[in-house]
Amino acid sequence: MTNLTNSNKRNSYILIICGLILLSLGIFLSVSIGAKDIDFSTMINSVFGNGNDINSKIIRDVRIPRALAGVLVGGFLAVSGAIMQGITRNPIAEPSVIGITQGATFMVAIALVLQQVNPNVVIGGFSLMIFAFIGASISGLFVYFISSRSMGKTDPVKLTLAGTALGTLLISLATGAAMYFNLSQQLSFWINGGFIGVNWEGVKLLFIVGIIGMGCAMLISKRITILSLGEDVAIGLGENTNRTRFIAIVIVILLTGASVSVAGNIIFVGLIIPQIVKKLVGVDFKYIIPCSFVLGSVLIVYSDVISRLINPPYETPIGSLTALLGVPVFIYLIRKEVK
């Protein structure tokens, strides 16, 4: 057991180091690539605060916050998926599969409609995050409770079916509202996901939420590990399973709500990354959470770069790219569970 633990610990360190190297390269590419060609010297000067020309402002106020937002959003979604899979013991549980991201997107649509109906209502970044949190909270808790056979025992099949049904309903309602109020173009960003228009305000909000959410996630990582071993085992070890699940759900809602409020509905990140991480570092969430954060960041940063290269100067929705990766994994896991 000790040798296995040491092996998992070593693998987690290797994974984090390799991930950070890839992430550093991805951030460099993200800052370098865009609709406007900017030379390397201008980019370096802009990073260190020199230069006030238009190219320097593009680097400082558009590309750098966009790259940092990709790091945080990718990490948050991956960690949220890992936590969901741990507390439900369901390998296909993740924020987009159980309707959390769709709930946040729906409330963002409501916010846009309110702003359209009453021009005096101005909804900024923080207000939009509050709307996203409310939507994520309502949909996440609703799906969680209706899929519970009894308090603390969640049926994985019901969880997936209820989440898929509610998520489809909420996205349909959001799309219908957008069409009725001529907001389809604005809402398409939130439905498909992306980092167009991300600014420093959004990065600051993500950073604040990340300190709280990731800090709490690491604090309860041991409890999530125990809970992932099974209800009877957790109770036998003296774990308050209901309290742990509630805290974990709140963390997921916090991280997911912040991510959706900045980057829209990016799907399947929380499904793909935890599965890879568990294969490499085992079942201890003390290692799964930080490794998931790093690999999730790598996935989204590179997806963002690829989205700008497929059809320049236009951008391919990031949600489409993650879906291409996530759907095969989802089908594989469903077939594995059925067997």
Side-chain angles (χ1 to χ4, degrees), residues 13 71 74 80 94 121 144 161 163 182 199 219 235 258 263 279 307 326:
Y13 288 157
V71 171
S80 296
E94 71 110 20
V121 176
Y144 178 75
L161 292 175
N182 296 320
N199 53 31
L219 286 175
I235 293 174
K279 295 289 186 182
S307 73

Side-chain angles (χ1 to χ4, degrees), residues 300-319:
I300 290 300
V301 168
Y302 279 94
S303 296
D304 185 36
V305 171
I306 293 172
S307 73
R308 285 177 264 174
L309 295 175
I310 292 177
N311 187 29
Y314 305 103
E315 296 189 16
T316 303
I318 293 179

Side-chain angles (χ1 to χ4, degrees), residues 77 94 96 101-102 191-192 265-270 272 318-320 322-323 326-327:
L77 293 177
E94 71 110 20
S96 66
T101 56
Q102 291 89 338
I191 293 177
N192 296 313
N265 185 36
I266 300 176
I267 60 176
F268 288 131
V269 178
I272 304 169
I318 293 179
S320 301
T322 56
V327 169

Side-chain angles (χ1 to χ4, degrees), residues 69-152:
V71 171
L72 295 174
V73 168
F76 292 172
L77 293 177
V79 169
S80 296
I83 292 174
M84 288 298 305
Q85 291 172 22
I87 64 174
T88 62
R89 302 190 69 214
N90 181 1
I92 59 176
E94 71 110 20
S96 66
V97 172
I98 67 170
I100 293 180
T101 56
Q102 291 89 338
T105 303
F106 172 73
M107 286 305 295
V108 168
I110 295 298
L112 295 176
V113 169
L114 291 175
Q115 193 167 245
Q116 176 83 353
V117 172
N118 187 355
N120 294 323
V121 176
V122 179
I123 300 176
F126 182 77
S127 300
L128 206 59
M129 180 172 284
I130 296 300
F131 273 90
F133 282 159
I134 293 172
S137 302
I138 294 174
S139 60
L141 292 174
F142 180 74
V143 170
Y144 178 75
F145 284 118
I146 66 174
S147 64
S148 298
R149 291 170 294 184
S150 61
M151 183 60 72

Side-chain angles (χ1 to χ4, degrees), residues 273-302:
I273 299 300
Q275 295 297 325
I276 296 173
V277 170
K278 288 176 186 176
K279 295 289 186 182
L280 297 174
V281 305
V283 297
D284 192 340
F285 277 79
K286 180 174 65 176
Y287 305 129
I288 289 175
I289 289 175
C291 289
S292 294
F293 181 90
V294 172
L295 287 194
S297 299
V298 170
L299 174 61
I300 290 300
V301 168
Y302 279 94

